[in-house]
Amino acid sequence: MTKSISLDALWESATPTELVFNSDKLSHLPAAAKRYLEHAIEPGTKIASAVRLKMHGEIKLKKWIPFTAEQVICWEHGLIWTATAWMNGFLPIVGSDCIIDGIGGMQWKLLGLFPVMTASGTDLTRSAIGRLQAESVWLPSVFYGDDVSWTSTELSDLDSNLHSSFVVQGDRAELDFTIDRSGRLKTTKLPRWGNPEGAEFHYVDFGGILEQEATFCGYTIPTHLRAGWYFGSNRFESEGEFFRATIDDAIYR
């Protein structure tokens, strides 16, 4: 059963720290990893354990539907994404997706009253953990820890491939980034548990194109992205992409 916790309670549960970002501690990392972290975190910025985001965008449920949402990622416990989407432009569907302490769930209601989708279970949890791994790009401080291992490959004079490996919610993430020479994120990709074909769950390449960025509270993060299944293949554009979002605000704790 999904643990019941509010967005505010998850935000308040984050443990503050006095640790600050110091690029001198990155000397042992591959040059591309150092470049990314120095781009993403300003010197002297407190190492955050949580981020709270406001966003708007579109989600594809047979057709593209607009939404507004608020999200908290707390690295100790998980994430909650609460949103309102408008069917046919005027019927609100209100609900949330979450992964809290290793238990995932989703619940959506028409007009906030009538259930239209409720899901839980091991497959959903495993997929939700993959979402948390992918959305770690909004909390760059998690990549500052000693528990993240890095490798990199130069793709061209302009871009590098950066691979990070770390454990979150008991599951190992294998997350690939493409970054430019300044350290800006351009794409992200990982194997994520899911069933985009509607059949059995299995690992599918999932990722996103990160088109814009902005700085909040000393953290530079992607602020406009397109994400979905089959990332890196022609199927992404034709059938895999299902999420487009613009970050309107972000605060860190």
Side-chain angles (χ1 to χ4, degrees):
M1 180 178 293
T2 306
K3 291 187 177 182
S4 179
I5 182 174
S6 70
L7 204 71
D8 288 338
L10 182 60
W11 175 248
E12 293 297 330
S13 74
T15 304
T17 177
E18 296 302 316
L19 184 66
V20 298
F21 179 71
N22 181 353
S23 61
D24 292 342
K25 295 184 178 180
L26 307 178
S27 58
H28 64 291
L29 299 182
K34 187 173 184 290
R35 192 161 70 246
Y36 162 61
L37 288 168
E38 289 179 335
H39 179 82
I41 312 175
E42 293 180 354
T45 299
K46 282 190 176 182
I47 298 302
S49 59
V51 59
R52 187 165 188 156
L53 305 158
K54 292 183 178 179
M55 67 183 76
H56 71 277
E58 298 176 295
I59 189 165
K60 192 174 184 180
L61 302 171
K62 295 186 178 181
K63 62 180 181 179
W64 288 100
I65 299 171
F67 74 82
T68 59
E70 190 169 0
Q71 178 171 337
V72 169
I73 300 172
C74 173
W75 206 242
E76 295 170 87
H77 299 294
L79 71 79
I80 299 174
W81 184 73
T82 62
T84 300
W86 285 269
M87 294 288 292
N88 301 318
F90 67 94
L91 282 175
I93 298 177
V94 181
S96 65
D97 295 348
C98 70
I99 172 71
I100 301 294
D101 294 333
I103 301 175
M106 63 170 60
Q107 187 176 71
W108 295 89
K109 296 180 179 180
L110 181 65
L111 303 175
L113 298 172
F114 307 104
V116 294
M117 182 182 296
T118 300
S120 59
T122 56
D123 285 325
L124 181 68
T125 290
R126 203 168 175 183
S127 184
I129 291 172
R131 174 176 178 169
L132 176 59
Q133 293 169 353
E135 295 181 1
S136 58
V137 296
W138 285 324
L139 189 57
S141 50
V142 303
F143 297 106
Y144 185 60
D146 295 333
D147 54 345
V148 181
S149 61
W150 298 93
T151 56
S152 66
T153 305
E154 298 304 313
L155 301 177
S156 67
D157 291 338
L158 299 177
D159 295 334
S160 302
N161 176 263
L162 188 57
H163 179 82
S164 64
S165 179
F166 55 95
V167 175
V168 58
Q169 301 277 316
D171 193 71
R172 179 162 292 279
E174 301 291 346
L175 191 58
D176 286 291
F177 302 134
T178 302
I179 64 168
D180 67 14
R181 300 311 295 178
S182 72
R184 181 182 72 86
L185 290 175
K186 297 176 68 174
T187 68
T188 183
K189 177 183 174 183
L190 77 160
R192 181 181 174 190
W193 194 250
N195 66 335
E197 303 90 354
E200 292 185 0
F201 278 75
H202 60 110
Y203 280 109
V204 185
D205 284 338
F206 179 89
I209 300 170
L210 313 174
E211 298 175 325
Q212 297 177 23
E213 65 178 15
T215 302
F216 305 90
C217 308
Y219 289 95
T220 299
I221 59 172
T223 53
H224 186 75
L225 71 151
R226 301 188 291 121
W229 303 104
Y230 315 121
F231 192 76
S233 75
N234 293 334
R235 296 181 71 185
F236 172 75
E237 298 286 354
S238 62
E239 57 184 301
E241 180 184 357
F242 69 87
F243 186 74
R244 298 170 179 169
T246 298
I247 301 300
D248 300 306
D249 193 23
I251 56 174
Y252 289 84
R253 179 184 176 88

